[in-house]
Amino acid sequence: MARGFLLYVAVSAMAAGTWAQTPQPFPRPGAPPPPATTAPPPQPAAPAPAVAPPVAAPVDPGAPTEATLGFPIYPTAQFIASYDAGRAQRYYIFGASAPYADLVAYYRTVLKERGNQVFEEPPTHMFEVGRFRDETMAFPPGVTIKDWTWGGTTGYPNPKPNAEPARFPTIVMIVPAPPGAQR
């Protein structure tokens, strides 16, 4: 998967240079030379806008913390909701404005786990961390990431009225182990 992604990036980078070039006709013997074109005088460069580092999402007092979940939370992710999964487990849903691939790379790094792409359409990647026990768990502990922009959709709607962003391109679901279970 990573090899395919790197190949895609390399081919895209090579192709980008050729798309930017204007084709020139080949000279033919005996043909007059093409007229020289003059370049317009250089324009003063506009100052580049300052790039601010990602700002952490506003703190929601009801949002779970990394300590309570036992899993890292993407730095700019916003807590959306939590749901009862059964058997003393909960699902914690976070919205992220970062692209799906960035979140997969982040969780691969911090969890030190490759994870599995469980669906290609829409792209869904799952990191199962911890041991699943059918008798005490409703869902394996871990992190699931889903691309909500697949197929041209505009993203997962932000349930908070007038909140930014209005839609999240990527959703992260964290399912911690139930209390008392070892991770």
Side-chain angles (χ1 to χ4, degrees):
M1 179 76 189
R3 192 177 308 156
F5 177 74
L6 290 175
L7 178 63
Y8 172 76
V9 170
V11 169
S12 297
M14 288 189 296
T18 60
W19 292 328
Q21 296 176 357
T22 304
Q24 299 296 323
F26 289 109
R28 295 205 168 111
T37 58
T38 58
Q43 299 292 327
V51 178
V55 179
V59 177
D60 180 353
T65 64
E66 290 183 356
T68 58
L69 293 176
F71 285 100
I73 300 170
Y74 189 76
T76 58
Q78 295 181 36
F79 176 67
I80 296 176
S82 71
Y83 301 97
D84 183 10
R87 298 190 181 184
Q89 278 186 300
R90 294 192 71 77
Y91 297 97
Y92 294 89
I93 309 295
F94 294 85
S97 55
Y100 166 82
D102 290 357
L103 270 81
V104 170
Y106 171 80
Y107 279 100
R108 276 186 175 160
T109 302
V110 297
L111 294 175
K112 296 179 174 91
E113 178 85 25
R114 261 182 69 85
N116 296 308
Q117 184 170 352
V118 292
F119 298 109
E120 288 184 21
E121 298 176 350
T124 305
H125 203 93
M126 191 170 184
F127 298 90
E128 290 184 10
V129 181
R131 188 171 179 175
F132 176 66
R133 297 191 182 277
D134 191 33
E135 334 48 75
T136 59
M137 297 180 184
F139 200 81
V143 177
T144 303
I145 302 166
K146 183 174 179 182
D147 182 359
W148 276 79
T149 60
W150 177 84
T153 60
T154 55
Y156 186 89
N158 191 336
K160 297 172 184 161
N162 303 319
E164 286 296 321
R167 293 183 170 272
F168 295 105
T170 311
I171 292 294
V172 178
M173 179 180 76
I174 298 176
V175 181
Q182 291 181 349
R183 185 172 160 204

